[in-house]
Amino acid sequence: MGRVISIASQKGGVGKTTTAINLGACLAQESRRVLLVDIDPQGNATSGMGVNGNDQRLGTYEVLIGHAEAKESILPTGLASMDILPTGQRLSGAEVELVGMMARETKLRSCLAKVRDDYDFVLIDSPPSLGLLTVNSLTASDSVIIPLQCEYLALEGLTQLITAIRLVQDHLNPSLRIEGVLLTMYDARLSLSRQVAEEARKFFSDRVYKTIIPRNVRLSEAPSFGKPIVLYDPHSSGAESYRELAREVLGHE
Ligand code: ATP
Ligand code: MG
């Protein structure tokens, strides 16, 4: 049965989508079958894989509100063993529409139950909030990867996320684990970067991945070409670091 991993943080711009796309692509290149689920109404994971979510008739929105099955909404990507459940802007309505529904927190889990056997990994790119979409994501997952941006005091605000994870563990998904904390946008020249890395290791000890994702402009260019970094610039430091992360994640299998 496929491992379901949320990439989550209520902080914006910390590297969730970049990690979901590129860890997914690197796992696919390691011959794992990967499903990328875009549950962020911004649809950055969708567009970053070269799909226009607004043009798709079916996607995460239709699946969550029960108008479509996950299986019929999933699309192939430029990588042979990677698929995507895309999203368009209409997903922003789901947060409100779900409120009135039965079992609103477990919608995504039930929808994915029917397809997770087809994959080794299901990676869910979550929005920068702790609302119902992120709760659905955490409830559907075996574990969560928390990206930490090494450019400002990143540990602040993490308490909220940890509290949300505890609440989900207590009420909805007791087996949810923290898969790992990932240091992103690291710049070795900045003492702040080194300081954030040090604090993260103090706080989360060995749950912080050994792999550190450096700041690399190629990583920020790739989404406008609709490609993961391993297809856009396979020799960049960004590609190398996400390949290393994939190997580290596989080591934890
Ligand atoms: P949001 O909370 O809005 O969903 P996010 O947490 O998904 O944001 P990303 O979209 O992955 O964050 O990254 C934010 C911006 O930083 C993007 O423009 C992305 O291309 C860029 N970026 C991410 N990681 C790196 C990196 N390691 N080096 C350089 N740029 C990066
Ligand atoms: Mg994002």
Side-chain angles (χ1 to χ4, degrees):
M1 192 157 70
R3 231 160 105 192
V4 184
I5 305 177
S6 283
I7 321 292
S9 169
Q10 85 278 17
K11 281 213 174 183
V14 296
K16 294 183 288 295
T17 302
T18 305
T19 298
I21 290 177
N22 293 304
L23 173 59
C26 291
L27 289 169
Q29 287 200 327
E30 295 279 338
S31 313
R32 299 312 194 277
R33 295 163 304 164
V34 177
L35 173 65
L36 175 61
V37 174
D38 192 352
I39 197 173
D40 180 356
Q42 296 180 99
N44 295 337
T46 302
S47 58
M49 290 302 293
V51 176
N52 183 333
N54 294 328
D55 285 353
Q56 299 303 320
R57 201 171 48 83
L58 301 179
T60 311
Y61 173 73
E62 286 70 25
V63 169
L64 278 178
I65 63 166
H67 287 182
E69 294 288 333
K71 208 159 217 151
E72 57 181 331
S73 313
I74 288 170
L75 301 171
T77 71
L79 282 154
S81 66
M82 184 167 177
D83 292 341
I84 185 166
L85 178 58
T87 202
Q89 278 168 352
R90 58 195 184 280
L91 179 62
S92 56
E95 198 115 29
V96 176
E97 287 170 57
L98 281 173
V99 167
M101 290 189 183
M102 290 278 283
R104 59 191 181 188
E105 294 94 353
T106 54
K107 289 284 174 211
L108 185 64
R109 177 161 71 193
S110 349
C111 301
L112 292 181
K114 296 173 203 152
V115 295
R116 64 184 287 182
D117 283 350
D118 300 339
Y119 299 94
D120 299 304
F121 287 92
V122 178
L123 301 183
I124 311 173
D125 184 30
S126 315
S129 80
L130 295 173
L132 204 38
L133 290 172
T134 299
V135 170
N136 262 274
S137 173
L138 294 174
T139 303
S141 295
D142 300 305
S143 61
V144 51
I145 291 178
I146 304 171
L148 263 197
Q149 185 184 351
C150 294
E151 290 183 342
Y152 57 113
L153 290 173
L155 287 182
E156 282 169 24
L158 220 60
T159 6
Q160 266 174 291
L161 177 60
I162 302 295
T163 306
I165 291 172
R166 291 232 174 90
L167 283 171
V168 169
Q169 286 168 331
D170 288 349
H171 299 285
L172 296 158
N173 181 11
S175 54
L176 179 67
R177 298 178 295 107
I178 294 183
E179 176 84 26
V181 173
L182 177 67
L183 300 168
T184 64
M185 299 183 222
Y186 186 84
D187 183 344
R189 294 167 304 180
L190 299 179
S191 65
L192 183 55
S193 268
R194 296 196 300 271
Q195 201 182 324
V196 171
E198 199 176 299
E199 278 180 26
R201 293 224 148 85
K202 231 184 267 167
F203 195 75
F204 290 104
S205 59
D206 58 0
R207 277 186 300 183
V208 180
Y209 287 112
K210 289 193 189 73
T211 306
I212 294 180
I213 309 298
R215 177 160 273 284
N216 174 222
V217 70
R218 307 300 270 169
L219 280 171
S220 58
E221 291 166 3
S224 32
F225 295 86
K227 286 181 177 173
I229 190 69
V230 287
L231 296 184
Y232 175 64
D233 187 352
H235 303 295
S236 59
S237 63
E240 187 43 53
S241 65
Y242 275 106
R243 274 195 292 269
E244 194 184 318
L245 177 66
R247 289 191 292 263
E248 196 175 345
V249 168
L250 288 172
H252 292 184
E253 264 181 337

